[in-house]
Amino acid sequence: MRDARCAVGDADEGATVSYGPGVSHEVAVDEEFEKRLKAYEGRPAAVARAGKDPVNAPMIRHWCEAMGDTNPAYAGRDAIAPPTMLQVWTMGGLSGHTGRAHAYDELLGLLDEAGYTSVVATDCEQEYLRPLRPGDEITFDSVIESVSEQKTTKLGTGHFVTTRMDLRVGPDLAGTHRFRILKYTPIRRTERTEEPPQGRQQRPSQPEQEAKSSQSAPRHKPARPRPVVNRDNAGFWEGVRRRRLLIQRCTDCGGLRHPWLPGCNACGGMDWDTVEAGGEGTVYSYVVMHHPPFPAFDPPYAVGLIELAEGVRMIGNVLGVPCDKVRIGLPVRLEFQEYDEELVLPVWRAQDGTAQEGTYEHR
């Protein structure tokens, strides 16, 4: 069984883009350098490593709770692990793995020296050959499968590096995991001089910040980061562009899900349609961002995990009350905020502007 690719970065191998005004990016191809990169193909990145933990029921339970996956196959005496947990059993944690092969580090170091100093994960692909059960001991090997020629993407110019990991239980191949990153030189963007569109910048939530902003000269903030749009979630972002919040619905079992997925995690059905959210929700959990600072944002600001009236949850900024007054259980209402001519995002405005300390449950 093969899993749909999971895009986790804003770049696609082979993608070529044109740049608008205010963007400068020089591209030159060094054929000798590319031959040096190609020489790493087929070299090991990891050899005969063992998973730090056997497949086990507590990790399966935590995964299913986090993902909202209630498939009965993942619980009980004859439980199997969700196939998409494949990579979980190979993770090294903060301390990492011992016995690391040097070829992968050498390759990344070579790219760093050539100026490709930034990195973004772009996608992964998994193939499941046998179910994993509690007690299975995982061993794995990893190889540098390919290094692309120089590519130009929306992020910059660089090289895609793909590794393939083979996972085994005893002598049996249990699955493969391909992981691709882009090592790139970021696009150099020239300073923009035009005024930001009126009414499109989020106003600070604190009165002191508002007063300070009204007395200061206009600032030209960098553009807000764009969401990663891929073939699985493109319909969601098209709905947002049209000011509609669309939720996937499985046409087999009727289950609603978010984020968008190629198949239903409850019944496995692959067919789906959408329903439009009514826009009512409550804060299920939240964080207040103070650090690290990002130039496109004005900390402190609240980011909430919002539970919609329809039952699904999604993340977005919480507006309408000072960030230190956001509480779990706070009722919110959907709004669409336009940040510039190209970017519209769903945000959540508090419907109880007089939220007081201790009014809502803490989680």
Side-chain angles (χ1 to χ4, degrees):
M1 179 171 66
R2 187 180 298 272
D3 181 58
R5 291 179 180 86
C6 174
V8 290
D10 191 14
D12 295 308
E13 184 169 0
T16 302
V17 299
S18 58
Y19 303 114
V23 176
S24 171
H25 196 53
E26 298 177 1
V27 178
V29 176
D30 184 335
E31 293 183 359
E32 185 60 33
F33 178 72
E34 293 202 345
K35 288 180 180 179
R36 293 177 64 191
L37 296 180
K38 285 289 185 182
Y40 282 89
E41 292 184 344
R43 294 182 62 180
V47 178
R49 290 190 192 170
K52 289 195 167 184
D53 297 285
V55 179
N56 63 85
M59 290 174 70
I60 294 172
R61 175 171 53 82
H62 290 313
W63 172 279
C64 290
E65 288 180 358
M67 301 299 292
D69 194 338
T70 58
N71 191 320
Y74 307 145
R77 195 170 76 176
D78 298 323
I80 64 173
T84 49
M85 287 187 74
L86 189 68
Q87 190 185 13
V88 170
W89 315 114
T90 68
M91 290 181 172
L94 296 177
S95 59
H97 286 286
T98 59
R100 183 183 180 96
H102 298 296
Y104 190 68
D105 290 336
E106 291 175 4
L107 172 60
L108 298 188
L110 184 62
L111 289 164
D112 284 338
E113 292 174 6
Y116 304 106
T117 54
S118 295
V119 63
V120 63
T122 61
D123 60 280
C124 68
E125 181 179 346
Q126 295 180 340
E127 186 173 3
Y128 315 118
L129 301 176
R130 56 149 284 184
L132 298 177
R133 294 180 168 83
D136 284 343
E137 300 277 356
I138 302 296
T139 59
F140 59 95
D141 302 281
S142 181
V143 64
I144 302 170
E145 190 169 67
S146 67
V147 185
S148 78
E149 61 187 24
Q150 184 171 275
K151 302 288 186 178
T152 300
T153 76
K154 287 185 275 187
L155 295 177
T157 296
H159 296 266
F160 289 89
V161 178
T162 304
T163 54
R164 188 193 76 245
M165 180 182 293
D166 294 328
L167 291 80
R168 292 179 172 80
V169 178
D172 299 328
L173 185 64
T176 62
H177 173 81
R178 285 180 173 84
F179 191 72
R180 183 175 293 113
I181 64 170
L182 173 66
K183 284 284 287 178
Y184 66 100
T185 302
I187 296 170
R188 298 189 301 276
R189 298 184 182 274
T190 59
E191 190 72 22
R192 295 182 180 272
T193 57
E194 66 269 23
E195 290 290 329
Q198 293 297 318
R200 290 177 181 167
Q201 298 296 328
Q202 178 181 337
R203 295 182 63 81
S205 58
Q206 301 291 344
E208 296 84 0
Q209 292 176 318
E210 292 179 356
K212 182 178 179 180
S213 298
S214 65
Q215 299 171 5
S216 60
R219 292 185 301 140
H220 303 292
K221 294 197 302 183
R224 192 182 180 99
R226 268 46 184 166
V228 176
V229 180
N230 56 51
R231 63 184 180 181
D232 291 331
N233 66 13
F236 173 80
W237 290 110
E238 174 59 23
V240 169
R241 189 184 67 82
R242 293 184 284 118
R243 276 63 172 179
R244 300 178 64 202
L245 194 67
L246 300 179
I247 305 172
Q248 270 189 319
R249 176 175 59 188
C250 175
T251 55
D252 290 337
C253 71
L256 302 180
R257 62 181 186 258
H258 187 86
W260 283 33
L261 297 169
C264 179
N265 58 12
C267 73
M270 299 300 292
D271 296 324
W272 54 270
D273 59 12
T274 62
V275 295
E276 184 171 359
E280 301 291 339
T282 57
V283 174
Y284 183 82
S285 185
Y286 69 96
V287 295
V288 176
M289 298 297 298
H290 295 271
H291 189 82
F294 294 98
F297 298 85
D298 291 319
Y301 55 93
V303 179
L305 177 62
I306 307 302
E307 185 165 73
L308 278 63
E310 290 78 9
V312 300
R313 299 171 190 151
M314 61 182 64
I315 293 174
N317 287 98
V318 179
L319 312 179
V321 293
C323 59
D324 61 349
K325 298 298 183 183
V326 176
R327 293 290 181 267
I328 289 170
L330 178 70
V332 292
R333 175 76 186 174
L334 171 69
E335 289 186 4
F336 291 98
Q337 185 152 338
E338 186 176 350
Y339 289 90
D340 56 43
E341 293 180 357
E342 298 177 350
L343 182 62
V344 177
L345 294 176
V347 297
W348 302 91
R349 184 165 296 278
Q351 297 302 290
D352 184 355
T354 60
Q356 299 295 320
E357 193 76 26
T359 301
Y360 301 102
E361 172 193 4
H362 284 263
R363 285 184 181 139

